[in-house]
Amino acid sequence: MNSGGGKPPTIKILYSYLGRIVAGRPDGKLRYVGGYTRVLSVDRSISYAELMLKFAEACGESMNLKCKLPAEDLDVLVSISGDEELAAVIEEYDRVSAAENREMKVRAVLSPVKSPKKASPPSSPMSCFDFPAKSRLNQVKISGHCSHPPYKPSSLLRCSPPVVGYPIAAEKLHHCRGAPNPSRLQNVCFANRRNCSH
């Protein structure tokens, strides 16, 4: 962007950041409120990269640049991302300044560059206690119903000897056929004694 004849060697940029555009009262005209509004005087031949570096130094962070055209309001902003777009905006302001015979400042609105969000790691490592496996749940469920003691072979069980005088045959009948008849118990006892006496 070389300077032409009759044009000042520098341009002034009126820039705002960290605020917002709102409709004013009572006319409803858009205005930039809050944040900061400053004027930056730079060489007319400045490049886009150099200009954005100056904005970053002034604002303390990287910024996106949008400019308002002279004949438009703040609701129409042109995004600037290279030398050609910057030169076109400056040329438009030069044309309007020459037509109105007054020097105009380039109106710019800056916004912070948004960095892509990174997925944050979990606060604590996952474990099987946080998310139990399905098989583990089944085991717990089954164990809740199977509360009986494990089966032991009959050879490991010890039976106490019967009480003296208690009819052994009657005990077998009690376990196999239900409660024995008292008369049958007596007959069995007499039969055992008779066999033992012979």
Side-chain angles (χ1 to χ4, degrees):
M1 289 175 289
N2 298 328
S3 59
K7 296 180 181 179
T10 60
I11 57 174
K12 292 181 180 180
I13 302 177
L14 180 67
Y15 66 97
S16 302
Y17 64 100
L18 299 183
R20 64 185 188 278
I21 299 174
V22 298
R25 296 180 180 179
D27 55 359
K29 187 177 180 180
L30 296 180
R31 292 180 174 85
Y32 194 93
V33 298
Y36 303 90
T37 298
R38 297 171 178 173
V39 176
L40 178 65
S41 180
V42 296
D43 191 275
R44 182 177 292 273
S45 61
I46 191 172
S47 65
Y48 169 78
E50 293 172 340
L51 178 61
M52 298 310 297
L53 182 59
K54 289 184 177 293
F55 282 143
E57 293 174 352
C59 302
E61 59 182 321
S62 298
M63 292 288 181
N64 290 320
L65 172 61
K66 293 183 179 181
C67 293
K68 183 184 82 69
L69 296 178
E72 301 293 343
D73 204 350
L74 287 174
D75 57 342
V76 180
L77 298 175
V78 179
S79 297
I80 309 299
S81 59
D83 291 336
E84 294 183 1
E85 295 168 345
L86 180 59
V89 169
I90 293 177
E91 183 179 353
E92 182 65 16
Y93 272 89
D94 287 340
R95 184 185 65 81
V96 176
S97 296
E100 298 183 3
N101 197 20
R102 64 184 180 93
E103 183 182 359
M104 296 185 64
K105 299 181 181 68
V106 178
R107 188 68 173 96
V109 175
L110 306 178
S111 59
V113 176
K114 296 181 180 180
S115 58
K117 295 182 179 180
K118 296 181 180 180
S120 57
S123 57
S124 60
M126 292 186 297
S127 63
C128 60
F129 298 100
D130 298 330
F131 302 97
K134 186 175 181 181
S135 60
R136 186 181 180 88
L137 291 175
N138 293 337
Q139 292 175 3
V140 174
K141 187 175 182 181
I142 293 174
S143 63
H145 293 282
C146 299
S147 58
H148 301 287
Y151 172 75
K152 295 182 179 180
S154 58
S155 61
L156 299 178
L157 298 177
R158 296 183 179 180
C159 299
S160 58
V163 180
V164 177
Y166 185 80
I168 299 176
E171 183 181 8
K172 293 183 179 179
L173 291 174
H174 174 73
H175 286 290
C176 299
R177 298 180 181 178
N181 191 343
S183 61
R184 294 183 63 184
L185 291 177
Q186 294 177 1
N187 295 333
V188 173
C189 290
F190 292 148
N192 290 337
R193 291 176 182 176
R194 191 178 304 168
N195 294 333
C196 293
S197 63
H198 293 290

